[in-house]
Structures are given as structure tokens and as C-alpha cells.
Amino acid sequence: MAEHRSMQRAALLDAARSLLSEGGTDALTFPALAERTGLARSSVYEYFRSRAAVVEELCAVDFPVWAAEVEAAMAAADGPEATIEAYVRQQLALVGDRRHRAVVAISATELDAGAREKIRAAHGGLVTMLADTLGAMGHQEPRLTAMLLQGVVDAAVRRIELGAAEDPAAITEAAVGMALRGVRG
């Protein structure tokens, strides 16, 4: 029975990912989740009290996986500039990934404090790694520089998500160039 419940929970999360990546947070409704999974709407409520609870669980499950992929790319890089480049490139490479698209959709919405805190904590770990790299490069304000660099990444993510006129590869190269020129100061 417990295994069946965890499979249904996983199916609900997968349906939530699809709904979020297709239509953003407006698309994530209990009727839509019920329809996608073939469960009765009342059954969806047995697993999750609210949309916020679905979102919070998605954050708890997906964000660490996504952050670990960025962290692994940074750890594999050779030298501080390559580490920064990996930080930017890996985040932008994950844009098309459904888990990432769900996370982006979630980040753009009004979340309850608990879900926002989970996202911030996972993101905070990446920003801390970035700040450590910048500190090693001799930056006076490594944390501030890291936050500003993340702003460049976020802007590039939005640009790619919007299907902007530029090719995603061109957006990535522009973001990497800005990041590297910016950290050389």
C-alpha cells in the first residue's frame, strides 16, 4: 500500500512539473492534476493540502537535484574563471529541462514563506560556492558580486524561456562573456 501511495505521489509531482512547464503556475490546479493522473480530485487532496504544498514538495525534490548538477559542473572546472563559466553555462543548459522549467515557474510566483526559504537555501549553496571562488580571486565584495552574477543568469534564463529573438546559444555566450568580464573587474 505504501509503495502504491508513493507511486501516486510521484505521478502527481510529475504531472505538476508538466503543468508548470507548459502553462506556468496558473496551469497548476487540482482539477488539472486529477485529470493528468486519472485520480479523483478528492484523492489529490489526500496527498496535498494545497497548491502551495505541491509546489513546496517539488522544490524539496527538484531543486537540490538541479543545484547538484550546477555544483558538479563547477567542481569539475579547472580554475576560478572556468568555475564561474561553468556556473553560468550549466544553469542555462538546464533551461529546457522540465524540472528546471517547473522551478523557474515556481520562483516567479508568490510562494508561501516555507517554499521560498527552501528555494533560497538551495540557491544559497550555489551562490556561496560562487562567492568562495570570487573571494579566492581577490574580490572585495564576493557575496555581492555573486548575487549580481546570479542576476545576469536569471535575466538570461528569462530571455531563453521567453523564446527571445536571439538563439539560446547566443544568449548563453553573451551571459558568459558578461560574467567573465565582470569578475575580472
PDB file of all heavy atoms in Angstrom, residues 12-36 98 102 105:
ATOM      1  N   LEU A  12       1.786  12.438  -9.282  1.00  0.00           N
ATOM      2  CA  LEU A  12       1.229  13.787  -9.080  1.00  0.00           C
ATOM      3  C   LEU A  12       2.313  14.850  -9.257  1.00  0.00           C
ATOM      4  O   LEU A  12       2.085  15.878  -9.892  1.00  0.00           O
ATOM      5  CB  LEU A  12       0.592  13.903  -7.687  1.00  0.00           C
ATOM      6  CG  LEU A  12      -0.787  13.251  -7.549  1.00  0.00           C
ATOM      7  CD1 LEU A  12      -1.155  13.078  -6.081  1.00  0.00           C
ATOM      8  CD2 LEU A  12      -1.844  14.081  -8.278  1.00  0.00           C
ATOM      9  N   LEU A  13       3.511  14.587  -8.724  1.00  0.00           N
ATOM     10  CA  LEU A  13       4.614  15.552  -8.864  1.00  0.00           C
ATOM     11  C   LEU A  13       5.021  15.675 -10.328  1.00  0.00           C
ATOM     12  O   LEU A  13       5.297  16.775 -10.815  1.00  0.00           O
ATOM     13  CB  LEU A  13       5.812  15.146  -8.002  1.00  0.00           C
ATOM     14  CG  LEU A  13       5.638  15.327  -6.502  1.00  0.00           C
ATOM     15  CD1 LEU A  13       6.853  14.800  -5.756  1.00  0.00           C
ATOM     16  CD2 LEU A  13       5.373  16.784  -6.135  1.00  0.00           C
ATOM     17  N   ASP A  14       5.044  14.545 -11.034  1.00  0.00           N
ATOM     18  CA  ASP A  14       5.409  14.584 -12.444  1.00  0.00           C
ATOM     19  C   ASP A  14       4.375  15.370 -13.250  1.00  0.00           C
ATOM     20  O   ASP A  14       4.724  16.167 -14.120  1.00  0.00           O
ATOM     21  CB  ASP A  14       5.574  13.163 -12.987  1.00  0.00           C
ATOM     22  CG  ASP A  14       6.453  13.148 -14.214  1.00  0.00           C
ATOM     23  OD1 ASP A  14       7.546  13.761 -14.157  1.00  0.00           O
ATOM     24  OD2 ASP A  14       6.049  12.583 -15.231  1.00  0.00           O
ATOM     25  N   ALA A  15       3.096  15.162 -12.925  1.00  0.00           N
ATOM     26  CA  ALA A  15       2.028  15.919 -13.588  1.00  0.00           C
ATOM     27  C   ALA A  15       2.170  17.407 -13.270  1.00  0.00           C
ATOM     28  O   ALA A  15       1.996  18.258 -14.156  1.00  0.00           O
ATOM     29  CB  ALA A  15       0.660  15.402 -13.141  1.00  0.00           C
ATOM     30  N   ALA A  16       2.520  17.715 -12.034  1.00  0.00           N
ATOM     31  CA  ALA A  16       2.711  19.121 -11.635  1.00  0.00           C
ATOM     32  C   ALA A  16       3.845  19.755 -12.430  1.00  0.00           C
ATOM     33  O   ALA A  16       3.737  20.886 -12.906  1.00  0.00           O
ATOM     34  CB  ALA A  16       2.982  19.209 -10.128  1.00  0.00           C
ATOM     35  N   ARG A  17       4.947  19.006 -12.601  1.00  0.00           N
ATOM     36  CA  ARG A  17       6.080  19.505 -13.401  1.00  0.00           C
ATOM     37  C   ARG A  17       5.626  19.854 -14.816  1.00  0.00           C
ATOM     38  O   ARG A  17       5.961  20.898 -15.348  1.00  0.00           O
ATOM     39  CB  ARG A  17       7.158  18.420 -13.519  1.00  0.00           C
ATOM     40  CG  ARG A  17       8.152  18.421 -12.446  1.00  0.00           C
ATOM     41  CD  ARG A  17       9.210  17.323 -12.664  1.00  0.00           C
ATOM     42  NE  ARG A  17       9.675  16.951 -11.342  1.00  0.00           N
ATOM     43  CZ  ARG A  17       9.319  15.847 -10.706  1.00  0.00           C
ATOM     44  NH1 ARG A  17       8.543  14.941 -11.272  1.00  0.00           N
ATOM     45  NH2 ARG A  17       9.766  15.632  -9.488  1.00  0.00           N
ATOM     46  N   SER A  18       4.878  18.930 -15.428  1.00  0.00           N
ATOM     47  CA  SER A  18       4.410  19.149 -16.798  1.00  0.00           C
ATOM     48  C   SER A  18       3.500  20.364 -16.876  1.00  0.00           C
ATOM     49  O   SER A  18       3.659  21.207 -17.757  1.00  0.00           O
ATOM     50  CB  SER A  18       3.656  17.925 -17.314  1.00  0.00           C
ATOM     51  OG  SER A  18       4.544  16.844 -17.446  1.00  0.00           O
ATOM     52  N   LEU A  19       2.556  20.451 -15.958  1.00  0.00           N
ATOM     53  CA  LEU A  19       1.626  21.585 -15.962  1.00  0.00           C
ATOM     54  C   LEU A  19       2.376  22.900 -15.806  1.00  0.00           C
ATOM     55  O   LEU A  19       2.110  23.870 -16.523  1.00  0.00           O
ATOM     56  CB  LEU A  19       0.580  21.426 -14.841  1.00  0.00           C
ATOM     57  CG  LEU A  19      -0.445  20.308 -15.067  1.00  0.00           C
ATOM     58  CD1 LEU A  19      -1.177  19.979 -13.773  1.00  0.00           C
ATOM     59  CD2 LEU A  19      -1.435  20.703 -16.162  1.00  0.00           C
ATOM     60  N   LEU A  20       3.329  22.937 -14.879  1.00  0.00           N
ATOM     61  CA  LEU A  20       4.108  24.159 -14.646  1.00  0.00           C
ATOM     62  C   LEU A  20       4.933  24.529 -15.866  1.00  0.00           C
ATOM     63  O   LEU A  20       5.005  25.697 -16.244  1.00  0.00           O
ATOM     64  CB  LEU A  20       5.031  23.985 -13.433  1.00  0.00           C
ATOM     65  CG  LEU A  20       4.355  24.077 -12.073  1.00  0.00           C
ATOM     66  CD1 LEU A  20       5.279  23.531 -10.992  1.00  0.00           C
ATOM     67  CD2 LEU A  20       3.968  25.513 -11.760  1.00  0.00           C
ATOM     68  N   SER A  21       5.578  23.525 -16.487  1.00  0.00           N
ATOM     69  CA  SER A  21       6.443  23.866 -17.618  1.00  0.00           C
ATOM     70  C   SER A  21       5.620  24.217 -18.849  1.00  0.00           C
ATOM     71  O   SER A  21       6.065  24.987 -19.683  1.00  0.00           O
ATOM     72  CB  SER A  21       7.479  22.777 -17.887  1.00  0.00           C
ATOM     73  OG  SER A  21       6.904  21.659 -18.453  1.00  0.00           O
ATOM     74  N   GLU A  22       4.388  23.707 -18.941  1.00  0.00           N
ATOM     75  CA  GLU A  22       3.537  24.049 -20.095  1.00  0.00           C
ATOM     76  C   GLU A  22       2.824  25.379 -19.922  1.00  0.00           C
ATOM     77  O   GLU A  22       2.720  26.155 -20.858  1.00  0.00           O
ATOM     78  CB  GLU A  22       2.470  22.956 -20.297  1.00  0.00           C
ATOM     79  CG  GLU A  22       3.032  21.645 -20.804  1.00  0.00           C
ATOM     80  CD  GLU A  22       2.079  20.472 -20.540  1.00  0.00           C
ATOM     81  OE1 GLU A  22       0.867  20.717 -20.345  1.00  0.00           O
ATOM     82  OE2 GLU A  22       2.555  19.325 -20.517  1.00  0.00           O
ATOM     83  N   GLY A  23       2.306  25.619 -18.716  1.00  0.00           N
ATOM     84  CA  GLY A  23       1.447  26.792 -18.562  1.00  0.00           C
ATOM     85  C   GLY A  23       1.734  27.668 -17.364  1.00  0.00           C
ATOM     86  O   GLY A  23       0.909  28.507 -17.005  1.00  0.00           O
ATOM     87  N   GLY A  24       2.888  27.445 -16.713  1.00  0.00           N
ATOM     88  CA  GLY A  24       3.203  28.256 -15.540  1.00  0.00           C
ATOM     89  C   GLY A  24       2.293  27.904 -14.368  1.00  0.00           C
ATOM     90  O   GLY A  24       1.547  26.928 -14.421  1.00  0.00           O
ATOM     91  N   THR A  25       2.361  28.710 -13.332  1.00  0.00           N
ATOM     92  CA  THR A  25       1.654  28.368 -12.100  1.00  0.00           C
ATOM     93  C   THR A  25       0.144  28.397 -12.250  1.00  0.00           C
ATOM     94  O   THR A  25      -0.549  27.695 -11.532  1.00  0.00           O
ATOM     95  CB  THR A  25       2.056  29.303 -10.954  1.00  0.00           C
ATOM     96  OG1 THR A  25       2.067  30.617 -11.463  1.00  0.00           O
ATOM     97  CG2 THR A  25       3.414  28.951 -10.420  1.00  0.00           C
ATOM     98  N   ASP A  26      -0.378  29.178 -13.198  1.00  0.00           N
ATOM     99  CA  ASP A  26      -1.831  29.215 -13.391  1.00  0.00           C
ATOM    100  C   ASP A  26      -2.364  27.849 -13.813  1.00  0.00           C
ATOM    101  O   ASP A  26      -3.513  27.509 -13.540  1.00  0.00           O
ATOM    102  CB  ASP A  26      -2.228  30.251 -14.459  1.00  0.00           C
ATOM    103  CG  ASP A  26      -1.954  31.670 -13.991  1.00  0.00           C
ATOM    104  OD1 ASP A  26      -1.759  31.870 -12.766  1.00  0.00           O
ATOM    105  OD2 ASP A  26      -1.932  32.572 -14.840  1.00  0.00           O
ATOM    106  N   ALA A  27      -1.529  27.087 -14.504  1.00  0.00           N
ATOM    107  CA  ALA A  27      -1.953  25.778 -15.012  1.00  0.00           C
ATOM    108  C   ALA A  27      -1.994  24.713 -13.908  1.00  0.00           C
ATOM    109  O   ALA A  27      -2.606  23.665 -14.074  1.00  0.00           O
ATOM    110  CB  ALA A  27      -1.010  25.324 -16.126  1.00  0.00           C
ATOM    111  N   LEU A  28      -1.323  24.995 -12.794  1.00  0.00           N
ATOM    112  CA  LEU A  28      -1.252  24.010 -11.709  1.00  0.00           C
ATOM    113  C   LEU A  28      -2.496  24.111 -10.823  1.00  0.00           C
ATOM    114  O   LEU A  28      -2.553  24.919  -9.910  1.00  0.00           O
ATOM    115  CB  LEU A  28       0.016  24.231 -10.877  1.00  0.00           C
ATOM    116  CG  LEU A  28       0.232  23.260  -9.711  1.00  0.00           C
ATOM    117  CD1 LEU A  28       0.344  21.834 -10.215  1.00  0.00           C
ATOM    118  CD2 LEU A  28       1.478  23.643  -8.933  1.00  0.00           C
ATOM    119  N   THR A  29      -3.497  23.301 -11.151  1.00  0.00           N
ATOM    120  CA  THR A  29      -4.733  23.263 -10.361  1.00  0.00           C
ATOM    121  C   THR A  29      -5.017  21.820  -9.972  1.00  0.00           C
ATOM    122  O   THR A  29      -4.533  20.889 -10.634  1.00  0.00           O
ATOM    123  CB  THR A  29      -5.935  23.793 -11.172  1.00  0.00           C
ATOM    124  OG1 THR A  29      -6.156  22.900 -12.271  1.00  0.00           O
ATOM    125  CG2 THR A  29      -5.693  25.210 -11.688  1.00  0.00           C
ATOM    126  N   PHE A  30      -5.800  21.633  -8.931  1.00  0.00           N
ATOM    127  CA  PHE A  30      -6.140  20.273  -8.510  1.00  0.00           C
ATOM    128  C   PHE A  30      -6.968  19.538  -9.571  1.00  0.00           C
ATOM    129  O   PHE A  30      -6.731  18.365  -9.816  1.00  0.00           O
ATOM    130  CB  PHE A  30      -6.814  20.290  -7.134  1.00  0.00           C
ATOM    131  CG  PHE A  30      -5.809  20.347  -6.003  1.00  0.00           C
ATOM    132  CD1 PHE A  30      -4.606  21.009  -6.134  1.00  0.00           C
ATOM    133  CD2 PHE A  30      -6.068  19.712  -4.805  1.00  0.00           C
ATOM    134  CE1 PHE A  30      -3.673  21.057  -5.096  1.00  0.00           C
ATOM    135  CE2 PHE A  30      -5.151  19.740  -3.760  1.00  0.00           C
ATOM    136  CZ  PHE A  30      -3.950  20.408  -3.912  1.00  0.00           C
ATOM    137  N   PRO A  31      -7.936  20.211 -10.225  1.00  0.00           N
ATOM    138  CA  PRO A  31      -8.648  19.504 -11.298  1.00  0.00           C
ATOM    139  C   PRO A  31      -7.704  19.033 -12.415  1.00  0.00           C
ATOM    140  O   PRO A  31      -7.835  17.917 -12.924  1.00  0.00           O
ATOM    141  CB  PRO A  31      -9.636  20.550 -11.825  1.00  0.00           C
ATOM    142  CG  PRO A  31      -9.837  21.488 -10.693  1.00  0.00           C
ATOM    143  CD  PRO A  31      -8.528  21.521  -9.944  1.00  0.00           C
ATOM    144  N   ALA A  32      -6.728  19.888 -12.775  1.00  0.00           N
ATOM    145  CA  ALA A  32      -5.770  19.510 -13.823  1.00  0.00           C
ATOM    146  C   ALA A  32      -4.887  18.345 -13.359  1.00  0.00           C
ATOM    147  O   ALA A  32      -4.602  17.429 -14.134  1.00  0.00           O
ATOM    148  CB  ALA A  32      -4.907  20.716 -14.216  1.00  0.00           C
ATOM    149  N   LEU A  33      -4.461  18.375 -12.090  1.00  0.00           N
ATOM    150  CA  LEU A  33      -3.657  17.269 -11.552  1.00  0.00           C
ATOM    151  C   LEU A  33      -4.467  15.972 -11.569  1.00  0.00           C
ATOM    152  O   LEU A  33      -3.947  14.916 -11.932  1.00  0.00           O
ATOM    153  CB  LEU A  33      -3.216  17.573 -10.117  1.00  0.00           C
ATOM    154  CG  LEU A  33      -2.036  18.523  -9.958  1.00  0.00           C
ATOM    155  CD1 LEU A  33      -1.840  18.876  -8.488  1.00  0.00           C
ATOM    156  CD2 LEU A  33      -0.766  17.923 -10.532  1.00  0.00           C
ATOM    157  N   ALA A  34      -5.732  16.067 -11.176  1.00  0.00           N
ATOM    158  CA  ALA A  34      -6.602  14.886 -11.155  1.00  0.00           C
ATOM    159  C   ALA A  34      -6.748  14.324 -12.569  1.00  0.00           C
ATOM    160  O   ALA A  34      -6.612  13.117 -12.793  1.00  0.00           O
ATOM    161  CB  ALA A  34      -7.969  15.254 -10.572  1.00  0.00           C
ATOM    162  N   GLU A  35      -6.968  15.216 -13.530  1.00  0.00           N
ATOM    163  CA  GLU A  35      -7.152  14.796 -14.918  1.00  0.00           C
ATOM    164  C   GLU A  35      -5.892  14.128 -15.458  1.00  0.00           C
ATOM    165  O   GLU A  35      -5.951  13.077 -16.096  1.00  0.00           O
ATOM    166  CB  GLU A  35      -7.518  16.018 -15.763  1.00  0.00           C
ATOM    167  CG  GLU A  35      -7.962  15.671 -17.164  1.00  0.00           C
ATOM    168  CD  GLU A  35      -8.275  16.907 -17.993  1.00  0.00           C
ATOM    169  OE1 GLU A  35      -8.864  17.862 -17.436  1.00  0.00           O
ATOM    170  OE2 GLU A  35      -7.900  16.917 -19.176  1.00  0.00           O
ATOM    171  N   ARG A  36      -4.742  14.738 -15.198  1.00  0.00           N
ATOM    172  CA  ARG A  36      -3.466  14.195 -15.704  1.00  0.00           C
ATOM    173  C   ARG A  36      -3.128  12.823 -15.121  1.00  0.00           C
ATOM    174  O   ARG A  36      -2.478  12.020 -15.767  1.00  0.00           O
ATOM    175  CB  ARG A  36      -2.302  15.144 -15.355  1.00  0.00           C
ATOM    176  CG  ARG A  36      -2.227  16.393 -16.168  1.00  0.00           C
ATOM    177  CD  ARG A  36      -1.615  16.113 -17.542  1.00  0.00           C
ATOM    178  NE  ARG A  36      -1.828  17.229 -18.417  1.00  0.00           N
ATOM    179  CZ  ARG A  36      -0.872  18.088 -18.787  1.00  0.00           C
ATOM    180  NH1 ARG A  36       0.355  17.936 -18.376  1.00  0.00           N
ATOM    181  NH2 ARG A  36      -1.159  19.072 -19.589  1.00  0.00           N
ATOM    182  N   ARG A  98      12.537  19.983 -17.949  1.00  0.00           N
ATOM    183  CA  ARG A  98      11.220  20.180 -17.333  1.00  0.00           C
ATOM    184  C   ARG A  98      11.304  20.509 -15.846  1.00  0.00           C
ATOM    185  O   ARG A  98      10.557  21.327 -15.343  1.00  0.00           O
ATOM    186  CB  ARG A  98      10.396  18.893 -17.485  1.00  0.00           C
ATOM    187  CG  ARG A  98       9.101  19.089 -18.218  1.00  0.00           C
ATOM    188  CD  ARG A  98       8.521  17.773 -18.683  1.00  0.00           C
ATOM    189  NE  ARG A  98       8.943  16.649 -17.875  1.00  0.00           N
ATOM    190  CZ  ARG A  98       8.164  15.984 -17.025  1.00  0.00           C
ATOM    191  NH1 ARG A  98       6.929  16.330 -16.848  1.00  0.00           N
ATOM    192  NH2 ARG A  98       8.629  14.961 -16.355  1.00  0.00           N
ATOM    193  N   ALA A 102       9.934  23.968 -14.274  1.00  0.00           N
ATOM    194  CA  ALA A 102       8.994  23.990 -13.147  1.00  0.00           C
ATOM    195  C   ALA A 102       9.540  24.885 -12.034  1.00  0.00           C
ATOM    196  O   ALA A 102       8.818  25.702 -11.470  1.00  0.00           O
ATOM    197  CB  ALA A 102       8.739  22.574 -12.638  1.00  0.00           C
ATOM    198  N   ALA A 105       9.154  28.484 -13.031  1.00  0.00           N
ATOM    199  CA  ALA A 105       7.751  28.900 -12.903  1.00  0.00           C
ATOM    200  C   ALA A 105       7.406  29.140 -11.438  1.00  0.00           C
ATOM    201  O   ALA A 105       6.754  30.119 -11.084  1.00  0.00           O
ATOM    202  CB  ALA A 105       6.822  27.836 -13.495  1.00  0.00           C
TER     203      ALA A 105
END
